[in-house]
Amino acid sequence: MKLDDFDFELPERLIATRPVSPRSAARMLVAEGGGTVRDTHVRDLPDMLREGDLLVLNNTKVIPARLFGTRTRDGNTSKIEVTLLSPDTRGHWRALIKPLRKVRDGEEIAFDAGLSATLIDRVDGQGVLYFNLQGEAFDAALAEAGQMPLPPYIAAKRAADARDKEDYQTAFAKHQGAVAAPTASLHFDTPLLQALKAKGVEFAEVTLHVGAGTFLPVKVEDVTTHKMHAEWGQVEAATAAQINAAKARGARVIPVGTTALRLIETAASGPGTITAWSGETDIFIYPGFQFQLTDALMTNFHLPKSTLLMLVSALMGQDRMREIYAHAVAQDYRFFSYGDSSLLVP
């Protein structure tokens, strides 16, 4: 399998830089078995699902991880940009620092809201920071000083603003830790959730803290040799029981987003079964993968040559996904994080 097998032409005008409003007004391409494609909207999702279907939601919460600060040395001040990646058990943060070469070990970077950080180490081209605030005080200062870490293809077109703090967060976000949104979930609003419940659709929640590695390009020509980034996730025992019960009664299990899918497939203990699980997953799903739990997937439209396009190709087949994406481009669907949605039913 070659990287070029997952390439396609995407007009730049189809890259969404803002979401539609309301959220459920986004368009949704429905692709089912037999080669059919339907053009609908996310608000039509209750009509596409069956009573008893189980939607698996990722309840991670995106932190405003992008910080702009200054480093002062010998009376000279340099601007420093920091993107937080992940904390460790000691309360230190791995971070992308631009430019890292302008900060010495032990130097302090000052941000707004009384927040500052000291560079204490360097690992794999990243910095390790210790902040002057911890716990709730850190969260409050970060909420004031930080910006949402928009994907590179949006950040290249415009800066993050106050709207993004709401737009780039799901309606059911609970557990802080993500530095990228589970974007398929951004289409859900309260009226849609209520309509789904009225239809008899059930919900299960998992947590996968989406990392910045989700935007890393694949750099190998033989995609099977690509090494995935690791992300922390958790499937609680009650959620595993929900999923097992759904499979046992013959209901469909439908992850909302590739993050939820990757997590439940990581935690799968066999065909149609799952157990409670927590830890880091670097599962890489590409054509040939044997799905244990996933019956369908709701997801946005992904980057050319990306691991996420490989994942949906594993679910639907490479030829089928080429047809689906050709239709999406021809019909002017909006792509990527703030774009439109699809419901893929193999």
Side-chain angles (χ1 to χ4, degrees), residues 3 5 13 17 35 46 64 76 82 86 106-107 131 133 173 185 204 208 245 260 279 281 285 304 315 319 335 343:
L3 186 58
D5 294 339
R13 62 185 171 79
T17 58
N76 297 315
V82 170
S86 60
E107 282 191 319
F131 282 89
L133 302 175
S185 298
L208 183 77
T281 177
I285 297 175
L315 183 68
D319 291 341
F335 274 66
L343 178 64

Side-chain angles (χ1 to χ4, degrees), residues 2 26 32 47 64 102 156 164 177 194 227 240 257 278 281 290 292 302 310-311 335 337:
K2 300 301 182 184
E32 297 175 303
D47 297 329
K102 286 195 174 182
D164 293 302
Q194 291 174 341
K227 174 64 176 174
S278 68
T281 177
Q290 297 298 310
Q292 305 296 310
H302 304 296
M310 295 170 197
L311 183 153
F335 274 66
S337 294

Side-chain angles (χ1 to χ4, degrees), residues 10-16 328-336 339:
L10 180 67
E12 189 170 341
R13 62 185 171 79
L14 298 184
I15 300 174
V329 170
Q331 295 300 315
D332 287 343
Y333 275 79
R334 302 164 75 246
F335 274 66
F336 307 157

Side-chain angles (χ1 to χ4, degrees), residues 16 25 46 60 64 78 83 131 135 145 150 157 160 180 185 200 203 210 215-217 246 260 264 282 338 340 342:
T60 189
S78 296
T83 301
F131 282 89
L150 294 181
K157 295 175 178 292
S185 298
F203 302 92
V210 192
F215 302 119
L216 291 175
I264 65 170
D282 60 358
Y338 275 154
D340 292 318
S342 66

Side-chain angles (χ1 to χ4, degrees), residues 276-322:
W277 186 90
S278 68
E280 289 198 335
T281 177
D282 60 358
I283 188 172
F284 180 22
I285 297 175
Y286 55 87
F289 182 85
Q290 297 298 310
F291 291 89
Q292 305 296 310
L293 298 164
T294 302
D295 296 301
L297 171 67
M298 185 174 172
T299 188
N300 285 17
F301 295 96
H302 304 296
L303 285 160
K305 298 185 177 181
S306 66
T307 59
L308 302 183
L309 182 54
M310 295 170 197
L311 183 153
V312 294
S313 297
L315 183 68
M316 300 296 288
Q318 287 175 261
D319 291 341
R320 180 74 167 122
M321 284 312 303
R322 289 190 192 100

